[in-house]
Amino acid sequence: MRNTIYTLLLLFLFTGVNAQEYSKLISEAHKLYQTKDYKMSTDLYSKAFKIESKNPSHLYNGACSSSLAGNTKQAFKWLNLSIDKGWTNLKHLNSDTDLENLHSKKEWGKTIEKLEEKLALLEANYDKPLQAELLAILEEDQKYRIQMNETQKKFGPESKEMNDLWKITIQKDSINLLKVKKILDEKGWVGKDKVGAQANSALFLVIQHSDLETQKKYLPMMKEAVTKGNASSGSLALLIDRIEIREGRKQIYGSQIGTNPHNKALYVLPLIDPDNVDKRRKEVGLGPISDYVKNWNLVWDVEKYKNELPELEKLNK
């Protein structure tokens, strides 16, 4: 019995180390993609997928890097595997310029046909008009936000270009919110089994980008949707964090990032029990906070964060 327990412990530790390494490789591969070092990005995705190759979004992103690096054989391998593992966004696949290198290959038509056949089976019971409406809302929600990173880098966060972009985004958000509130009030939190994963995500994103009272109103509905499998527990965690911060409390999962008004430095907004944040994040399907904050070029140091927390709380009041 002692040997069995020891073996299980080793397996647990090995699995944990592998998961951390996988997460690190995926994060670094994405950064290299952003800096247009597609070959090195592809190499890191390859190392990550030797550890695990289950996440359809990661596989799809790996295919994009591989395509841009000119490695079309690898790109098709990961692209088809991403479809096998659940990638279903045919519209995005057809329009994604990262994959243009693949369009002239005979495998491209086979890949599109494969996804179309899979979608035909999945969508047999879909509410097609509602799916189309939610996909259009999703596109509007993301369209201008996607432009913000590059616009901010080029012109600065306080620039006229950024202000104009925010004005358009806020205007679109208000229109999208009216549409989504009508859907939620009439049909409830519609699951991916009725509209697909992409369309389903539009419900959360629009509510996440709405005012506090709206978020509080639909929070119980989203909680119920999570229990039924109609919404993501990770997305719910992000909504809960946003509400907690807006109401002057500490966040739970560390998803909300703030800007210090004195020096413009980014920081993780006040967080309860920082020592156990990764445990809470794991429970809802979120990766380690150390990987998450890298998206803002931050380094997570829990002891330093705890020391700074009293001052951070003052900033958030």
Side-chain angles (χ1 to χ4, degrees), residues 165-207:
L165 203 52
W166 269 116
K167 285 178 184 176
I168 297 171
T169 303
I170 292 168
Q171 182 185 26
K172 296 293 182 182
D173 283 354
S174 64
I175 296 169
N176 286 337
L177 183 57
L178 291 173
K179 295 175 181 177
V180 163
K181 286 169 83 171
K182 186 173 187 293
I183 292 168
L184 292 173
D185 292 343
E186 293 179 359
K187 299 177 183 289
W189 205 288
V190 188
K192 61 183 180 181
D193 60 322
K194 295 298 181 185
V195 294
Q198 295 293 323
N200 169 257
S201 69
L203 297 171
F204 158 71
L205 285 171
V206 171
I207 295 301

Side-chain angles (χ1 to χ4, degrees), residues 60 83 87-96 108 111-117 119 123 135 198:
Y60 182 89
I83 293 170
W87 177 269
T88 56
N89 195 339
L90 180 61
K91 182 179 178 182
H92 184 78
L93 180 65
N94 275 316
S95 63
D96 194 343
W108 180 254
T111 302
I112 295 296
E113 185 178 348
K114 174 181 179 178
L115 182 52
E116 287 175 339
E117 289 175 357
L119 286 173
E123 296 180 0
L135 286 175
Q198 295 293 323

Side-chain angles (χ1 to χ4, degrees), residues 45-59:
Y45 274 119
S46 184
K47 288 181 181 179
F49 298 150
K50 285 177 183 176
I51 297 172
E52 179 185 302
S53 55
K54 297 177 182 178
N55 187 304
S57 294
H58 294 167
L59 288 161

Side-chain angles (χ1 to χ4, degrees), residues 13 31 39 47 58 75 88 98 101 105 127-128 131 139 150 155 159 165 186 204 208 227 250 265 267:
L13 292 172
K31 278 189 176 181
K39 185 181 183 305
K47 288 181 181 179
H58 294 167
T88 56
D98 286 353
N101 289 337
K105 310 297 181 182
D127 183 334
K128 294 293 182 64
Q131 181 193 35
E139 186 174 352
E150 282 301 315
F155 300 104
S159 64
L165 203 52
E186 293 179 359
F204 158 71
Q208 180 77 337
T227 65
K250 294 179 184 177
Y267 66 99

Side-chain angles (χ1 to χ4, degrees), residues 2-21:
R2 192 180 303 165
N3 287 339
T4 303
I5 293 172
Y6 180 68
T7 302
L8 288 172
L9 179 60
L10 283 178
L11 179 62
F12 173 78
L13 292 172
F14 180 71
T15 303
V17 169
N18 275 357
Q20 289 180 350
E21 180 63 14

